[in-house]
Amino acid sequence: MAQLSLKKIEKVYPNGFKAVHGVDLEVRDGEFMVFVGPSGCAKSTLLRMIAGLETITGGELRIGDKLVNDLAPKQRGIAMVFQNYALYPHMKVYENLAFGLKLAGTPKAEVDSRVRHAAQLLEMEHLLDRYPKQLSGGQAQRVAVGRAIVKKPEVFLFDEPLSNLDAKLRASMRVRLTELHRTLRESGQPATVVYVTHDQVEAMTMGQRICVLKDGVIQQVDTPTALYDRPANAFVAGFIGSPEMNIHAAELQPMGSGLAVMLGGVALPLPESKAEKLRSRSGAIKFGLRPEHVSAVARPQGDSLAVPATVRFMEHMGSEVFVHFDIGAVPLTARVPADQLNGLAEKMRGEAHHFHLQLASCHLFDAESGANLLL
Amino acid sequence: MSREGQAPGRSQAGPHPLGGSTDVRVGRGASMILPRDRGNPLLRYIALGVVAVVMLYPLLWLIGASFKGNAEIFTEIGVWPSRFDFTAYAKGWKTSTEYTFATYFLNSFLITVPRIIVTVISCVLVAYAFARFEFWGKKFLFSIMVGTMMLPLIILRLPQYLMFKELGWLDTYVPLILPSAFATDTFFVFMLVQFLRGIPRDMEEAAQIDGCNALQLLWHIIVPLLKPAIISVIVFQFIWTMNDFMGPLIYLSTVEKYPVSLALKMSIGATEEVEWASVIAISVVALIPSVGVFFLAQRHFIEGATSSGVKG
């Protein structure tokens, strides 16, 4: 069993800077957990603390049932893949893979079979005789992953492993790593994975659960769909999803028997289900609506609200178009399928158009704390 | 953190101040493509060739003079001898003492080789500590160490002499070797520290996770990465120790123990008329080990160490 348990984990640097603020987290056995957040959110620090490369200044870290706070990296049963691959340049690929096993005194035959098995798993048998400098970025990355696999660790740690690859290779490595996780589980070597990335696409596509961090504090831990549908706060809402959710300061006002959001001088009546949760509230809030919940044509379901706006510019992505427009003085983005532009394509900057907002999918956050008011 | 530093040898794109081609790579293994020079290449080669000959002339003259007689040496300025006579080499090799130069070369190696070994071990250990560990007073100690580089060696001679005399080690090779076992060649320590600072730590962290302790890390990872710097240390220490005259002069009194540098001086100091050709011939022979070591190691000076294992 290799669940990972963090209890009130803290990191205070000698100069007094507190990088990690009492993190509580349980990573289940065999789970693929992704740490995601903007740069400087201490996600890598947290990973390095799990690895034993960074001291833990407070709290308890357990791998399995073992308290590992003061154990050396090699005693923790972990393997790590680095952003820069960190292959040993003076050793051939085979030796790179075998190095850790040799240090541990593994019998030669066992080393050989494990290295060959890992090489086969990653389709790199033909690379075993090469030096790291003879490898391409993607190959080096595979070797780095292989070096982790041969150790049969209880926990795999990945520190932004794909950020040095080009976009195309990154996409294929993403699939490969996800498949690898599945293969390992099916072959009876289930791997608990902690994967650090700043790329929310990687997080959404790879993670079984995602831990969103900001300034050394966990914002939310949940499945990708839950993060997308029910963000705990405005930060998570803005971070998950591309293009970013439209989040703007707005005013909550009573309207008839219900409530309305005043955004850029336009009153947006809230659906009853949402208004119910906000019974006693009024005043300043933050209004959030994902670009995919704004369309250029009325929804056939009839649940969208037409709002007058002025078009600013469009970004053509092929199958879809990101339309930037203003409601009053408030800038918003819509993500519109290319075949539903409804005459938008001919519109010039500054021309008026009615956009259709799906208010049933909107989010409302506290103006101060940013907490989601609808949860 | 070091990995954020610019990797050596990385390409820097951007407009070059001289205009024209802009591919300028910096650091080890650097290549520069600058705008084409419009001058005549022939003139350029002639000018450079002339300067090279002027710089090399004393060396060429030395080799030529080893074949000349006393009279010719002092009258002819030309390099080319009138005849090729190797008797000076044979004579010089025999020396005026009871030992041949083979003894003196052996003595030189008996000093140089152990000294290089202890220098490399001690300097690498000290540099590793300064570059990779945090300990109390590190900055202060490092500045003291760098400060000793400015110290003229000559002022240490007297106290060192008295110390070794007390220990009864005069007229042995120990005073010539032992100090180096304590990383007193601070220039080397400084050089290795600087080199280590340029190596990203990722590989060491990977090795730590692979199960290395501090010493295994040094042996399996740091030393291979430091190879080019260590070879520089070996070459410099070899040349400096082979050429050292003052140290052996002070500590050694038995002719049997003299290294080449002292033996050369001795062959000039005889009372009868000096056979300059023999002295020069042996000087030429004495140059061979240093030149040989330099050329053997030259390849490694240029070899980059780190850019291959880490991308960054």
Side-chain angles (χ1 to χ4, degrees):
Chain A
M1 288 294 280
Q3 77 276 18
L4 192 68
S5 139
L6 286 72
K7 282 207 182 78
K8 300 256 171 296
I9 292 288
E10 286 188 353
K11 175 74 190 181
V12 183
Y13 283 102
N15 63 9
F17 176 70
K18 196 168 183 180
V20 178
H21 300 257
V23 163
D24 285 304
L25 182 68
E26 298 281 336
V27 183
R28 299 176 200 127
D29 186 34
E31 186 176 27
F32 200 118
M33 168 69 82
V34 176
F35 288 178
V36 71
S39 49
C41 72
K43 54 189 187 299
S44 283
T45 310
L46 203 53
L47 190 80
R48 291 166 56 82
M49 284 160 82
I50 297 171
L53 296 172
E54 207 68 73
T55 54
I56 298 170
T57 55
E60 281 186 3
L61 174 66
R62 286 174 192 277
I63 296 176
D65 300 323
K66 203 165 46 170
L67 182 70
V68 298
N69 276 39
D70 300 316
L71 292 187
K74 67 170 171 182
Q75 294 164 302
R76 295 188 181 199
I78 47 122
M80 186 160 168
V81 178
F82 291 81
Q83 180 178 359
N84 296 330
Y85 322 143
L87 302 178
Y88 312 125
H90 54 287
M91 297 182 197
K92 288 184 174 169
V93 168
Y94 184 96
E95 291 153 347
N96 260 286
L97 296 186
F99 183 64
L101 297 176
K102 279 185 189 157
L103 280 181
T106 317
K108 221 170 178 183
E110 163 99 21
V111 172
D112 191 66
S113 81
R114 282 215 224 170
V115 169
R116 305 227 170 258
H117 178 245
Q120 192 193 348
L121 214 55
L122 291 160
E123 294 163 37
M124 56 175 203
E125 289 122 313
H126 60 294
L127 303 177
L128 288 175
D129 266 339
R130 296 201 193 165
Y131 281 100
K133 64 180 167 215
Q134 297 165 314
L135 302 176
S136 70
Q139 291 171 334
Q141 191 55 68
R142 260 146 66 201
V143 175
V145 173
R147 191 168 60 179
I149 291 176
V150 292
K151 293 176 70 186
K152 296 193 177 169
E154 300 195 312
V155 180
F156 281 91
L157 307 174
F158 289 87
D159 190 4
E160 307 207 16
L162 306 185
S163 54
N164 273 338
L165 304 178
D166 61 61
K168 206 169 170 185
L169 203 51
R170 201 180 309 155
S172 75
M173 278 302 283
R174 217 160 60 201
V175 176
R176 203 186 262 264
L177 284 179
T178 316
E179 276 179 346
L180 181 69
H181 182 241
R182 210 158 295 158
T183 314
L184 287 176
R185 191 174 48 208
E186 282 159 10
S187 68
Q189 190 192 340
T192 308
V193 174
V194 180
Y195 186 104
V196 163
T197 179
H198 61 264
D199 180 354
Q200 57 99 11
V201 177
E202 257 171 50
M204 294 292 280
T205 51
M206 299 177 83
Q208 288 173 328
R209 282 197 303 157
I210 299 173
C211 169
V212 184
L213 286 150
K214 183 196 172 198
D215 300 333
V217 180
I218 291 186
Q219 303 295 310
Q220 189 173 4
V221 185
D222 219 324
T223 59
T225 30
L227 284 185
Y228 180 84
D229 293 334
R230 299 183 295 278
N233 56 41
F235 175 79
V236 176
F239 196 81
I240 301 293
S242 171
E244 210 174 297
M245 183 191 280
N246 300 295
I247 300 176
H248 292 287
E251 197 82 21
L252 203 58
Q253 287 181 351
M255 188 191 208
S257 62
L259 287 169
V261 173
M262 291 299 294
L263 183 75
V266 179
L268 310 172
L270 282 180
E272 211 164 289
S273 59
K274 298 213 184 270
E276 264 171 26
K277 292 180 185 164
L278 301 164
R279 240 348 122 205
S280 57
R281 277 192 94 100
S282 65
I285 49 142
K286 278 183 187 163
F287 171 80
L289 188 63
R290 294 196 184 276
E292 44 272 44
H293 298 139
V294 182
S295 46
V297 293
R299 278 181 31 108
Q301 293 91 327
D303 56 354
S304 59
L305 176 78
V307 177
T310 46
V311 177
R312 272 192 297 138
F313 68 98
M314 280 171 255
E315 291 175 293
H316 292 266
M317 311 301 289
S319 67
E320 53 190 16
V321 180
F322 300 159
V323 186
H324 299 265
F325 62 97
D326 295 331
I327 295 180
V330 180
L332 285 103
T333 309
R335 181 176 175 177
V336 180
D339 56 355
Q340 292 177 21
L341 275 175
N342 190 26
L344 254 179
E346 291 81 46
K347 296 238 161 143
M348 306 294 284
R349 185 190 169 90
E351 280 191 65
H353 187 87
H354 274 80
F355 284 89
H356 300 262
L357 314 186
Q358 238 173 282
L359 288 175
S361 304
C362 79
H363 301 268
L364 298 177
F365 306 101
D366 188 280
E368 294 290 316
S369 68
N372 194 333
L373 299 172
L374 297 171
L375 286 184
Chain B
M1 196 187 283
S2 61
R3 73 161 167 227
E4 272 147 25
Q6 173 106 5
R10 202 206 280 180
S11 181
Q12 277 193 337
H16 192 268
L18 298 179
S21 178
T22 59
D23 181 16
V24 177
R25 292 212 299 146
V26 289
R28 272 192 297 283
S31 74
M32 274 193 156
I33 302 169
L34 288 175
R36 226 171 168 23
D37 198 342
R38 276 173 291 276
N40 186 342
L42 188 67
L43 282 178
R44 207 160 53 226
Y45 281 113
I46 290 174
L48 289 172
V50 168
V51 174
V53 168
V54 170
M55 302 307 280
L56 282 174
Y57 186 79
L59 190 65
L60 298 176
W61 183 87
L62 187 79
I63 295 166
S66 65
F67 300 105
K68 297 174 183 173
N70 261 4
E72 199 183 348
I73 287 173
F74 291 109
T75 51
E76 288 289 327
I77 189 70
V79 167
W80 208 255
S82 53
R83 66 203 157 90
F84 280 95
D85 183 359
F86 284 90
T87 51
Y89 281 87
K91 238 181 186 173
W93 188 261
K94 268 189 217 142
T95 75
S96 52
T97 63
E98 52 189 305
Y99 310 103
T100 65
F101 251 94
T103 310
Y104 302 128
F105 270 109
L106 182 70
N107 289 343
S108 272
F109 288 125
L110 285 178
I111 299 168
T112 308
V113 173
R115 186 165 180 202
I116 287 175
I117 292 170
V118 296
T119 305
V120 168
I121 293 172
S122 63
C123 290
V124 167
L125 280 171
V126 173
Y128 179 44
F130 273 126
R132 287 297 193 258
F133 292 92
E134 292 306 321
F135 50 88
W136 188 83
K138 175 174 144 173
K139 279 185 180 160
F140 177 67
L141 289 172
F142 189 71
S143 57
I144 287 186
M145 192 205 75
V146 173
T148 59
M149 277 200 315
M150 316 297 163
L151 210 65
L153 278 181
I154 200 79
I155 57 174
L156 289 177
R157 291 286 186 205
L158 186 63
Q160 268 184 355
Y161 181 86
L162 293 174
M163 193 177 85
F164 287 123
K165 195 179 150 196
E166 283 303 307
L167 292 166
W169 287 342
L170 293 185
D171 202 24
T172 69
Y173 295 148
V174 179
L176 300 172
I177 296 165
L178 193 68
S180 289
F182 296 94
T184 49
D185 303 274
T186 45
F187 171 72
F188 295 141
V189 178
F190 182 71
M191 191 176 86
L192 291 169
V193 167
Q194 294 305 100
F195 196 92
L196 262 175
R197 281 179 180 164
I199 299 178
R201 286 190 192 208
D202 302 43
M203 279 170 276
E204 289 153 60
E205 288 179 343
Q208 251 174 296
I209 286 176
D210 268 345
C212 281
N213 60 33
L215 276 180
Q216 286 171 321
L217 208 60
L218 179 69
W219 180 245
H220 290 295
I221 309 296
I222 306 265
V223 167
L225 292 176
L226 270 181
K227 204 173 96 187
I230 290 174
I231 285 171
S232 309
V233 170
I234 292 172
V235 171
F236 283 123
Q237 189 65 299
F238 183 88
I239 293 174
W240 290 346
T241 309
M242 279 299 270
N243 292 347
D244 185 22
F245 180 73
M246 199 57 135
L249 181 70
I250 289 170
Y251 293 116
L252 301 179
S253 47
T254 315
V255 175
E256 192 189 348
K257 292 175 181 167
Y258 276 13
V260 173
S261 54
L262 279 190
L264 266 177
K265 169 73 185 71
M266 212 169 49
S267 57
I268 305 172
T271 42
E272 72 254 51
E273 194 195 357
V274 181
E275 286 228 28
W276 286 104
S278 309
V279 176
I280 290 167
I282 285 308
S283 303
V284 172
V285 175
L287 277 176
I288 292 171
S290 295
V291 174
V293 164
F294 179 80
F295 279 110
L296 277 180
Q298 194 196 25
R299 189 167 62 88
H300 299 280
F301 283 134
I302 348 168
E303 199 177 72
T306 58
S307 49
S308 47
V310 165
K311 191 175 178 182

